Amino acid sequence: MFGGLATVPSNSPHLRKSGSRPVVSDLGISDNENGAEEGFLNLTEANDMKGGSMPISTAAIMPSPALLWRFKVLLFFVWGFICCKIGWDSVMRMSVDLRDLFLYEAFLYYNPLLLVTMMVWFWGINLWVFAQANVNYAKIFDLDQNHLTHREIWKCATWMTIVVPTSMTAYLYLYSHGEVSLAASQPVLLYAAVAMILIFPFDIFYLSSRFYLLRTLWRIVLPLQAISFSDFFLADILTSMSKVLSDLERSVCRMVHRQVATIAWFEADSVCGSHSVAIPLVLVLPYLFRLFQCLRQYKDTGEKTTLLNALKYSTAVPVIYLSALKYHVFPEKWTNFYRPLWLLSGVLNSLYSFYWDVTRDWDLSGFTRIFKFGKAHLLSNLIHGRKWVYFWVISSNLILRCTWTYKLSSHLRHNYLTVFAITALEIFRRFQWVFFRVENEWNKMNSKSNIQLSMSDTANEEERLLVSNGHNV
C-alpha cells in the first residue's frame, strides 16, 4: 500500500497540504512522453485482461497530518499512563519506612532534569509568542540563521519528556524488585547520555545551537570580555535554577562515589550528604557569576546602575550561608541569633529583587503602564493588552520572589516535594519575566534605531540645504 511504483500527479491532495511542495517529484513526464505513458497504461490494461497480477495504485494513501498528530498524542498519554502505573506499583511494593527515603533519593536524581525539561517547554512558548508578535529575538540574542525555532525547541522538550520519566520508571521498578545494581545504572546512563549529547562534536543534534549554549555558559563562568545580552540573560535564568544546579552536584557526587541507590547520603558526615558544604557553594555560584558580570559591565560602561544591580545579587549570599549555618552551630544560637538574620536577609533580598524586576528589567516605573497603554508595543498588544495581566504578573512576581528564599535555604531541603513545587513555580515566574524583559530590550533597540535614523535624516537634510545655498561642506 505504501510501496511500489505508481504514477501519481504531483498536485495530488493525498500527498501534500495546500501551499507545500509536492511530495512526489517530477518524473520527467513531458508532452513528448505522453505516448510512452499511454502505451504503459494500455500494456497494463492488456495484462489485466490476460489475468496478470501487476497492481496499479492511482493514489498513495497517506494519513492526514491531523490524524497522525492525534495518534502521537494518544501514544504519549498511553506511555504516560504506563509509566505512572509501573512507578506507583513499584513504590507501593516497598516498606513504609524505606519508601520516603527512597523517593527523596529518586527525586534527587531526576527532579533536576524534569525541571530543565519544564524550562525548555516554557522557552519554546516564549519563542512562539515572540514570533507571533514579530519580535526579532534572533537579533536580540545575536543568533545565527540556523537557530532553533519554537517547533524545534518543543521537539527537544518532547524527547526529554519521554526519556527522563522512562529512566525514572525503570529506576523505581528495578529497585523495588531487588535489582539494585541495574537500578543504580539508570541515572548514571541518563546523565552520561545528556553530557555526551551536549559535547558531541559532530554536526548532528543541532551542533550550532549546542555550541552557542556552551560558549555562552563559558562566557558566564569567565566574564573576561564585554557582557552581551545573551550572557546576562542566561545567567539570570541560572539564578532561578540554583536549586537544580545544587541537586546536579549532589547527584554527580554520589555517582562518582558509587553511592547511587543507597541511603548513605542521609548521614550528616557522608561525603555527599545533606550537610555537605558543597550545597551552599553551588547554590551561590549563579549569583556570584551575575555579580561579576555586573562589575564587568561597570568597568566597560561606567554606569552606576550596574553597581546597584550587583548589590541586588549580593543580597542572596547571606540567605544561603545563614541557612547553611544551622548544621554547624548550636541549636540555641541558631534559634536566637542566626534564624532572625536569615529571615531578615530573605525579606531584603526578595523585596530588592522584586523592585528591580518591575522598575529596571521590565521598565514599569511607578506601575504607570498598568493604567496607561498610550505607548503599547507589538508584544504588549498581543499578550499584555489587558490590565489584569499586569496585576497578575506583578502580584505573582512579588509572591514568588518571597517564596524564592525557601529554595535557597538548605536547612529546608528535606521537604523535597515542597521544594520541588516552589522551584517549579520559580521557573514559571522566570517564564513570565522573559516576556517583559525581552520586550523591554526590543523596545530599547528600536528606540536606538529610530534615534540613529532621525539623526541621519537630519544630517542629510542639512547637507541638502547647504548644497542648495551654494555652500561646500
Side-chain angles (χ1 to χ4, degrees), residues 387-433:
K387 294 181 181 179
W388 69 266
V389 176
Y390 284 91
F391 282 114
W392 162 257
V393 170
I394 292 175
S395 59
S396 63
N397 190 75
L398 175 61
I399 295 173
L400 295 178
R401 276 296 190 185
C402 294
T403 59
W404 191 33
T405 305
Y406 194 98
K407 72 181 182 61
L408 295 179
S409 304
S410 57
H411 74 281
L412 300 174
R413 64 190 307 115
H414 292 299
N415 303 321
Y416 59 93
L417 291 178
T418 304
V419 174
F420 178 83
I422 291 177
T423 308
L425 290 174
E426 167 64 16
I427 292 176
F428 178 76
R429 186 199 66 81
R430 184 63 66 177
F431 160 72
Q432 295 183 146
W433 175 90

Side-chain angles (χ1 to χ4, degrees), residues 14 16 21 46 51 68 99 130 144 146 160 168 199 212 227 231 240 268 287 304 311 396 430 444:
H14 298 284
R16 64 186 181 94
R21 293 192 305 174
L68 187 60
R99 188 180 302 161
F130 296 149
D144 59 22
N146 296 322
M160 294 171 67
M168 185 175 181
I199 65 175
Y212 177 85
I227 307 301
D231 293 342
S240 294
Y287 302 96
K304 294 183 179 180
L311 180 62
S396 63
R430 184 63 66 177
K444 290 179 181 179

Side-chain angles (χ1 to χ4, degrees), residues 52-125:
S53 60
M54 180 183 292
I56 298 178
S57 176
T58 59
I61 303 176
M62 299 289 290
S64 64
L67 181 61
L68 187 60
W69 181 83
R70 292 173 184 172
F71 180 70
K72 290 180 180 179
V73 171
L74 179 61
L75 286 180
F76 183 81
F77 279 106
V78 170
W79 161 85
F81 174 78
I82 294 174
C83 287
C84 292
K85 177 64 175 175
I86 295 176
W88 177 262
D89 292 342
S90 300
V91 171
M92 290 297 103
R93 286 174 59 93
M94 304 177 190
S95 62
V96 178
D97 297 334
L98 180 63
R99 188 180 302 161
D100 191 59
L101 296 176
F102 177 74
L103 286 178
Y104 188 10
E105 185 177 9
F107 262 81
L108 174 65
Y109 299 132
Y110 289 100
N111 90 83
L113 295 181
L114 291 173
L115 292 170
V116 170
T117 302
M118 179 181 176
M119 177 63 78
V120 175
W121 276 112
F122 282 153
W123 178 241
I125 297 175

Side-chain angles (χ1 to χ4, degrees), residues 229-460:
F229 179 79
S230 58
D231 293 342
F232 68 76
F233 183 85
L234 182 58
D236 274 331
I237 292 178
L238 291 180
T239 59
S240 294
M241 305 187 73
S242 56
K243 171 64 168 56
V244 173
L245 298 177
S246 176
D247 287 346
L248 282 175
E249 180 275 329
R250 297 177 69 198
S251 299
V252 173
C253 176
R254 292 181 52 75
M255 293 174 191
V256 172
H257 291 86
R258 298 182 179 181
Q259 296 179 1
V260 182
T262 66
I263 59 173
W265 57 271
F266 196 70
E267 301 173 2
D269 56 350
S270 175
V271 177
C272 309
S274 59
H275 300 180
S276 172
V277 295
I279 295 175
L281 286 176
V282 178
L283 282 173
V284 81
L285 278 180
Y287 302 96
L288 294 181
F289 293 152
R290 194 66 186 92
L291 172 65
F292 294 146
Q293 283 184 336
C294 294
L295 297 178
R296 173 67 197 219
Q297 283 182 306
Y298 177 74
K299 177 184 177 182
D300 295 337
T301 63
E303 296 180 1
K304 294 183 179 180
T305 54
T306 57
L307 294 180
L308 296 176
N309 199 14
L311 180 62
K312 181 193 75 171
Y313 292 104
S314 67
T315 58
V317 178
V319 179
I320 296 172
Y321 279 97
L322 286 174
S323 173
L325 282 176
K326 180 180 180 181
Y327 298 122
H328 305 282
V329 297
F330 293 107
E332 296 80 7
K333 194 170 185 179
W334 160 256
T335 303
N336 299 327
F337 182 73
Y338 288 110
R339 187 170 67 177
L341 287 180
W342 165 70
L343 292 173
L344 179 63
S345 61
V347 171
L348 176 63
N349 172 260
S350 300
L351 295 180
Y352 195 172
S353 301
F354 168 74
Y355 164 79
W356 197 271
D357 284 341
V358 175
T359 60
R360 298 291 182 175
D361 289 346
W362 298 350
D363 195 17
L364 300 180
S365 302
F367 302 167
T368 54
R369 289 178 61 187
I370 299 177
F371 309 101
K372 298 180 182 179
F373 295 94
K375 296 182 179 180
H377 301 281
L378 291 174
L379 192 58
S380 298
N381 291 330
L382 187 65
I383 62 173
H384 309 183
R386 294 182 175 87
K387 294 181 181 179
W388 69 266
V389 176
Y390 284 91
F391 282 114
W392 162 257
V393 170
I394 292 175
S395 59
S396 63
N397 190 75
L398 175 61
I399 295 173
L400 295 178
R401 276 296 190 185
C402 294
T403 59
W404 191 33
T405 305
Y406 194 98
K407 72 181 182 61
L408 295 179
S409 304
S410 57
H411 74 281
L412 300 174
R413 64 190 307 115
H414 292 299
N415 303 321
Y416 59 93
L417 291 178
T418 304
V419 174
F420 178 83
I422 291 177
T423 308
L425 290 174
E426 167 64 16
I427 292 176
F428 178 76
R429 186 199 66 81
R430 184 63 66 177
F431 160 72
Q432 295 183 146
W433 175 90
V434 168
F435 287 119
F436 293 88
R437 184 64 186 91
V438 173
E439 181 198 12
N440 188 27
E441 186 67 20
W442 178 241
N443 294 335
K444 290 179 181 179
M445 294 178 64
N446 288 337
S447 299
K448 291 180 181 178
S449 300
N450 293 334
I451 292 174
Q452 293 175 356
L453 183 60
S454 62
M455 292 177 62
S456 177
D457 292 341
T458 303
N460 293 336

